[in-house]
Amino acid sequence: MPKVTRWFIKAGILYFIAGVVLALLSEVPGVKAAPLLLPVYWHMLVMGWITQVIMGVSIWMFPRKHRDRKKRESLLTWLAFWFLNTGLILRFLAEPFIPVIQQSTSITVVILLSSILQVLAIVFYIAEIWPRLMQDKKRKRS
Amino acid sequence: MPLPSIWLLRSSLICFLISTIIGALILSSKVITIHPAIWSLLPVHFELAIWGWIIQFVLGTAYWMFPKKLEGERRGNPLVATVMVVLFNAGLILLILSNFTETISLQLSLSGRSLITASILIFAFLIWSRVVTYRNLKH
């Protein structure tokens, strides 16, 4: 299993645990932050956990275009990992405070940066995986 | 990798990108002024993320990686698999379009869900016989 896959899956497990704990906390009577935490909880599970496991495993299992290439992890996969996780962490740290801290320049910058990082991470991941989606006979010819 | 898997996976990647861009716009609209209609794209963001990205990616990967049959067509009839891909994506498009119209929204979403259901039934039919192990097979 390539190193980047291990990082994707371990990061995914951490988000999974955090998401489950968050869901548990939001059920505790008297916790008023539950509606604010809802988007954080959903994105921890869908982007943090499920999507990261899919990305990590596909980078590992999907056949590379050139089988003889020894390098199993491209720059694109690491960029996807760091951009996605930085984007997600910034989002999870800032999003619950948007309604609380109105008109804050720092929150605005962090949220915009998070949005850009997440989109770029997906672009990098697609750029890595898209060329691998080809029929076996075409791969052998290339 | 078989062609139906390639189509499902490519479509799922496109859905993933669109869903992420919509999500990023919705998130950004919480701190800066973007068009107010951006929030009406929230259901599209959900549908594309769950059905377009995650489920479609799993379908494509399972169709490719599950054990192949020992006789006949290795992954079942490829024409049936092609129909599955077309129905799934046609259903997804109708489901997305149902968010942009009020007059025929219900008809579009019902048709979309019906096509996706039909596609999933075909997937189950194709994959059922491939949920096997050949480990105990006597040569």
Side-chain angles (χ1 to χ4, degrees):
Chain A
M1 190 188 286
K3 188 175 178 184
V4 71
T5 295
R6 299 199 300 272
W7 281 52
F8 265 117
I9 294 174
K10 285 182 177 173
I13 292 169
L14 293 178
Y15 285 120
F16 191 23
I17 294 167
V20 171
V21 170
L22 214 58
L24 175 69
L25 286 177
S26 65
E27 292 292 328
V28 174
V31 176
K32 291 177 183 172
L36 300 178
L37 294 177
L38 198 65
V40 174
Y41 156 69
W42 273 112
H43 285 91
M44 275 184 176
L45 289 185
V46 175
M47 288 296 283
W49 165 233
I50 302 172
T51 293
Q52 288 217 83
V53 170
I54 288 177
M55 289 167 84
V57 173
S58 59
I59 287 166
W60 170 32
M61 301 289 281
F62 281 28
R64 291 179 302 283
K65 198 174 175 186
H66 302 290
R67 280 196 157 273
D68 56 344
R69 190 182 291 176
K70 285 184 181 170
K71 198 174 178 184
R72 300 169 79 192
E73 300 142 359
S74 68
L75 176 66
L76 286 172
T77 61
W78 280 110
L79 285 173
F81 175 82
W82 285 113
F83 276 50
L84 181 63
N85 282 282
T86 311
L88 285 176
I89 288 168
L90 291 178
R91 175 194 196 136
F92 297 149
L93 289 176
E95 195 176 14
F97 299 103
I98 295 172
V100 183
I101 311 169
Q102 297 280 338
Q103 307 289 333
S104 161
T105 311
S106 53
I107 292 274
T108 303
V109 170
V110 168
I111 287 291
L112 292 179
L113 185 61
S114 162
S115 302
I116 293 165
L117 287 174
Q118 287 180 78
V119 171
L120 286 177
I122 305 318
V123 171
F124 292 140
Y125 168 69
I126 292 174
E128 169 68 30
I129 289 297
W130 192 278
R132 300 197 197 185
L133 305 176
M134 60 166 71
Q135 288 180 287
D136 292 338
K137 52 189 173 189
K138 281 189 184 171
R139 180 172 293 108
K140 281 169 190 162
R141 258 188 265 137
S142 68
Chain B
M1 190 179 284
L3 264 180
S5 284
I6 293 174
W7 293 329
L8 285 168
L9 292 168
R10 283 186 178 166
S11 173
S12 81
L13 292 176
I14 292 167
C15 291
F16 187 25
L17 183 62
I18 297 170
S19 175
T20 308
I21 291 171
I22 294 172
L25 288 172
I26 291 172
L27 179 63
S28 303
S29 75
K30 293 182 178 182
V31 291
I32 58 170
T33 307
I34 304 181
H35 198 281
I38 200 74
W39 276 94
S40 65
L41 294 176
L42 192 61
V44 178
H45 174 56
F46 292 153
E47 301 289 2
L48 284 174
I50 302 299
W51 287 98
W53 159 233
I54 295 173
I55 293 176
Q56 190 163 212
F57 195 97
V58 170
L59 297 181
T61 307
Y63 181 78
W64 167 44
M65 295 193 83
F66 272 38
K68 287 175 277 191
K69 295 177 185 177
L70 298 177
E71 291 172 356
E73 296 281 3
R74 310 293 307 277
R75 293 184 174 91
N77 189 335
L79 184 65
V80 175
T82 306
V83 171
M84 168 189 73
V85 177
V86 172
L87 288 181
F88 189 94
N89 282 281
L92 197 59
I93 289 168
L94 292 181
L95 205 56
I96 300 304
L97 289 177
S98 73
N99 287 283
F100 297 102
T101 170
E102 286 182 8
T103 47
I104 52 167
S105 173
L106 182 65
Q107 292 91 325
L108 284 177
S109 67
L110 271 176
S111 313
R113 298 261 180 229
S114 304
L115 293 182
I116 289 175
T117 306
S119 160
I120 299 299
L121 288 172
I122 294 172
F123 171 79
F125 166 75
L126 284 170
I127 217 76
W128 194 271
S129 55
R130 292 174 58 197
V131 185
V132 290
T133 177
Y134 297 129
R135 191 168 289 175
N136 300 321
L137 194 72
K138 286 179 183 168
H139 298 284

